[in-house]
Amino acid sequence: MSVIADLRVPATKFELGRILAMEQPVSVVLETMVPMGQQTVPFFWVHDHDRDVFEEAVREHHAVERLREVEVHEHRVLYAFRWRTDSDELFAAFAEADAQLLEATGHTDIWEFELRFPDHEHLSTFKEYCDDADIDLDVRRIYNPTKPESGPYYGLSHAQREALSTAVSEGYYSIPRRISTKELGGRLGISDQATTERLRRAIITLTEHTLLTEDDGE
């Protein structure tokens, strides 16, 4: 049975973290990863940043091959990003262990990942690879999904479920609203921008796995 791991990695311990580490606080949220030839290109949202400074710093990094602005929405920008993953030990560990990246949120100092592995043996392979590469892992939770093909709780990742259930229980969706995204982010240990993005993706995922499913009887 597949296994899912929630973990944290210091930004300085892998190439992508070092590339996106800005002097000013920047919040990065993975949207999806799309295969492009022999590489997988991530699409990620960057929140409340100085676009010119951010883009110039990223493009000047020696490992970056391409940074493309895809969409602009209020205070966040969606980028497609290509970098030389052969110099990124963490992503090499993902490939070595056949890990599927479900969710990633990056900050100046730390990144949070949610990964799916085919089984515990592959998870052990991943941890051994990271130990050999001197990548510090803070494994916060390991669990088996209720449905390996769709993940737990109607496709919601643990982080999405935690954000959505906390938002509901703390009155984020109440009228009047009893908690702000900044306060909610404090409960979750993430920024208010990352909280908003996580709730958005949680609602989309929940809707896709419940209201938008096909009914063979209709």
Side-chain angles (χ1 to χ4, degrees), residues 27 38 42 84 89 122 130-131 189 214:
S27 178
Q38 295 183 343
R84 289 192 290 276
E89 295 283 2
H122 283 78
C130 288
D131 287 342
E214 294 184 1

Side-chain angles (χ1 to χ4, degrees), residues 4 6 25 32 53 57 66 125 141 143 159 161 178-179 195 205:
I4 293 177
D6 296 334
T32 187
V53 172
R66 186 183 184 190
T125 298
R141 187 169 184 258
Y143 62 96
R161 177 173 174 266
R178 301 200 307 267
I179 190 172
T195 299
T205 299

Side-chain angles (χ1 to χ4, degrees), residues 210-218:
T210 54
L211 301 181
L212 300 183
T213 56
E214 294 184 1
D215 189 338
D216 294 336
E218 294 182 356

Side-chain angles (χ1 to χ4, degrees), residues 37-213:
Q38 295 183 343
Q39 284 190 317
T40 300
V41 177
F43 287 74
F44 56 84
W45 291 100
V46 181
H47 296 257
D48 291 330
H49 63 300
D50 185 318
R51 287 164 58 186
D52 292 337
V53 172
F54 173 81
E55 293 174 11
E56 181 180 0
V58 171
R59 290 192 174 102
E60 287 182 350
H61 195 282
H62 65 87
V64 174
E65 296 180 348
R66 186 183 184 190
L67 178 73
R68 179 169 61 90
E69 186 179 286
V70 177
E71 181 181 337
V72 179
H73 182 70
E74 295 181 349
H75 302 296
R76 59 193 175 110
V77 180
L78 180 66
Y79 292 99
F81 181 65
R82 189 192 297 268
W83 83 107
R84 289 192 290 276
T85 54
D86 56 354
S87 61
D88 198 317
E89 295 283 2
L90 182 62
F91 278 76
F94 293 165
E96 183 73 16
D98 292 329
Q100 178 186 2
L101 183 55
L102 302 179
E103 185 168 327
T105 303
H107 306 285
T108 304
D109 300 321
I110 201 81
W111 277 67
E112 297 175 305
F113 293 95
E114 187 156 41
L115 303 169
R116 186 201 304 274
F117 299 89
D119 49 40
H120 280 276
E121 184 176 349
H122 283 78
L123 173 58
S124 296
T125 298
F126 171 75
K127 293 172 69 177
E128 291 172 4
Y129 191 104
C130 288
D131 287 342
D132 292 341
D134 192 30
I135 299 174
D136 300 326
L137 295 180
D138 177 14
V139 181
R140 303 174 63 80
R141 187 169 184 258
I142 297 174
Y143 62 96
N144 296 108
T146 54
K147 289 186 177 181
E149 71 276 8
S150 63
Y153 304 102
Y154 300 104
L156 292 174
S157 68
H158 170 68
Q160 291 170 347
R161 177 173 174 266
E162 179 187 33
L164 194 56
S165 60
T166 303
V168 172
S169 63
E170 296 295 332
Y172 178 73
Y173 293 107
S174 299
I175 300 176
R177 183 169 288 171
R178 301 200 307 267
I179 190 172
S180 67
T181 52
K182 184 175 183 178
E183 293 169 326
L184 187 57
R187 303 285 180 89
L188 299 172
I190 58 178
S191 68
D192 56 338
Q193 298 94 339
T195 299
T196 301
E197 189 65 28
R198 188 168 293 179
L199 288 174
R200 182 187 69 85
R201 296 186 64 183
I203 292 171
I204 292 173
T205 299
L206 187 60
T207 302
E208 289 175 342
H209 284 78
T210 54
L211 301 181
L212 300 183
T213 56

